[in-house]
Amino acid sequence: MNPSAPFSVATAEGFDADTLVATLAARLIPPAHGEALGFLYVTDALARQLPDLLAQLREATGVQRWTGSVGVALCATGREIYDGPAAVAMVGGFPEGSTQLLPLLSDGTAPLQELLERWPAPDPARFGVLHADPGNPRTPELIEQAGGSTGIFCVGGLTSSQAEDLQIAGEVTRGGVSGVLFSEAVEVVTAHTQGCTPIGPAHRITRATQNVLVQLDGRPALDVFEEDIGEVLARDLQRAGGFIVAAFPVPGSDTRDYLVRNLVAVDTGQRLVAVGDRVTEGDRIMFCRRDPNAAMDDLRRMLADLRHRAPGGARGALYFSCLGRGRHQFGEDSRELRTISEELGDIPLVGFFANGEIFHNRLYGYTGVLTLFL
């Protein structure tokens, strides 16, 4: 196949399945060589129509293998799509035998191990795109296991929906982690960008229960929190909860990477702070603020890095951004997706705004994860 052949991409809006499929199929061009793979993302307004849309799209394009998810909002080349029924789709060509759809992992990784045992030689699986159900309590563990025990570098996003949390892995599925794996014959570069900025030092969790911080550095957790956020916000903790979050430094990271989790509650009487994940005594934690200007600077930093790593450009791209980003952080004019196009050009791109983002087999929050297929 021609490794420089760009992917084809299409968007369509509306409720009528026939019209949606016709619009998408008219712009999607199956590859002339290699094996075809399609990516399909729809807004949650179309969740119940997804099985029918997928079946019709297969017939109309001739592309049989698809992966994707439902999102409350979608990403397209230079555009963010909100508040209505819409679909974005991308089709690309890959070397024969280099891609395998990952069946649903709901309570363990046995299906993944079986897939890897059948993986065609000689190129092993090295990269994965995952879509995951936020309603499965084992989802973070499954994401970590999918990559950590196999050496596969996984990216992706958690389904976001006000209707049904559906994914596509060949067929429409739900309830766990699914997606597609790529062999080392598929060239990719990927990176992530943070949407929050640390406002204080990292602290040691010295006492905790489940998701509740009792003591940090041997002091009441809320005392430490109030010192970090400052006197003004400390007088209005409800307001602080709107844009202050907790962050857990990634051990061994040479880029000072961290995983963000929301604050859930504070107890001013017992001086406790609850966060949106289980915590472990001995771990480190810091507090961050959501900062649009710093987030835009970091987005541009990420894009400059990818531009340097992919000097020849990209055939296609996937972008998974947090629900708290997009118009909620950068404004109503698709600034986040327009910035990607301004920095990298109008490469074919699809994705969605996720309920959590996956990068290097970890579950993030308030980040953007961009993958370029070279």
Side-chain angles (χ1 to χ4, degrees):
M1 59 173 285
N2 179 3
S4 64
F7 295 176
S8 60
V9 67
T11 64
E13 298 179 58
F15 278 109
D16 184 72
D18 293 341
T19 302
L20 286 167
V21 170
T23 302
L24 295 174
R27 299 182 180 180
L28 295 174
I29 305 171
H33 305 284
E35 57 185 29
L37 176 68
F39 300 88
L40 175 64
Y41 300 97
V42 304
T43 57
D44 52 0
L46 294 176
R48 294 180 180 177
Q49 297 189 59
L50 185 55
D52 185 43
L53 287 171
L54 179 60
Q56 290 192 48
L57 199 56
R58 274 203 187 102
E59 183 176 356
T61 63
V63 176
Q64 298 302 307
R65 301 183 312 130
W66 293 82
T67 187
S69 185
V70 172
V72 297
L74 305 180
C75 303
T77 303
R79 184 185 175 199
E80 300 160 18
I81 304 173
Y82 300 93
D83 302 329
V88 296
M90 183 170 71
V91 169
F94 298 89
E96 293 288 352
S98 66
T99 69
Q100 294 286 330
L101 292 171
L102 175 65
L104 186 71
L105 312 178
S106 58
D107 58 6
T109 59
L112 170 61
Q113 299 300 331
E114 294 172 3
L115 172 62
L116 295 179
E117 290 173 3
R118 301 193 308 269
W119 192 276
D123 298 319
R126 284 289 180 260
F127 184 75
V129 174
L130 305 181
H131 308 106
D133 191 325
N136 186 332
R138 295 198 61 187
T139 285
E141 175 189 356
L142 292 168
I143 291 169
E144 184 176 354
Q145 290 176 349
S149 62
T150 62
I152 299 172
F153 191 115
C154 295
V155 302
L158 268 61
T159 299
S160 63
S161 177
Q162 300 176 76
E164 298 182 73
D165 292 325
L166 302 180
Q167 306 157 29
I168 303 169
E171 302 293 341
V172 176
T173 187
R174 66 187 305 167
V177 176
S178 66
V180 60
L181 303 182
F182 300 88
S183 80
E184 57 188 13
V186 178
E187 294 185 83
V188 301
V189 294
T190 187
H192 76 306
T193 177
Q194 294 280 3
C196 302
T197 302
I199 57 176
H203 304 283
R204 186 72 62 185
I205 302 173
T206 47
R207 188 177 171 195
T209 302
Q210 296 184 344
N211 70 321
V212 178
L213 303 169
V214 180
Q215 290 186 351
L216 300 177
D217 301 331
R219 302 173 54 213
L222 188 56
D223 290 1
V224 176
F225 174 72
E226 289 179 343
E227 286 182 5
D228 281 1
I229 66 176
E231 182 180 354
V232 174
L233 280 178
R235 291 199 298 263
D236 188 355
L237 292 175
Q238 185 173 3
R239 175 170 171 258
F243 59 94
I244 302 296
V245 295
F248 298 88
V250 174
S253 171
D254 58 0
T255 59
R256 298 182 180 180
D257 196 13
Y258 48 90
L259 308 177
V260 170
R261 298 294 184 264
N262 286 324
L263 300 178
V264 176
V266 298
D267 185 328
T268 56
Q270 300 185 70
R271 311 302 289 168
L272 308 175
V273 178
V275 301
D277 203 350
R278 294 181 68 90
V279 296
T280 303
E281 293 179 0
D283 285 353
R284 295 169 66 81
I285 190 173
M286 57 190 179
F287 299 105
C288 299
R289 71 175 182 273
R290 297 185 60 200
D291 185 330
N293 293 327
M296 180 53 64
D297 290 343
D298 197 63
L299 174 62
R300 292 188 183 279
R301 174 207 57 79
M302 177 192 75
L303 296 172
D305 171 63
L306 289 174
R307 191 169 59 244
H308 174 74
R309 293 162 59 194
R315 299 191 296 141
L318 296 173
Y319 191 55
F320 306 107
S321 188
C322 178
L323 287 171
R325 292 169 62 93
R327 67 181 180 184
H328 302 292
Q329 188 161 41
F330 303 114
E332 295 283 349
D333 59 349
S334 295
R335 188 181 178 203
E336 184 173 8
L337 271 295
R338 286 194 300 107
T339 299
I340 295 174
S341 291
E342 290 167 2
E343 297 290 335
L344 300 182
D346 288 330
I347 57 178
L349 179 151
V350 295
F352 72 108
F353 286 89
N355 208 8
E357 305 79 59
I358 302 165
F359 183 77
H360 203 177
N361 316 321
R362 302 185 185 99
L363 185 58
Y364 285 76
Y366 297 104
T367 59
V369 176
L370 181 60
T371 296
L372 306 181
F373 293 95
L374 307 185

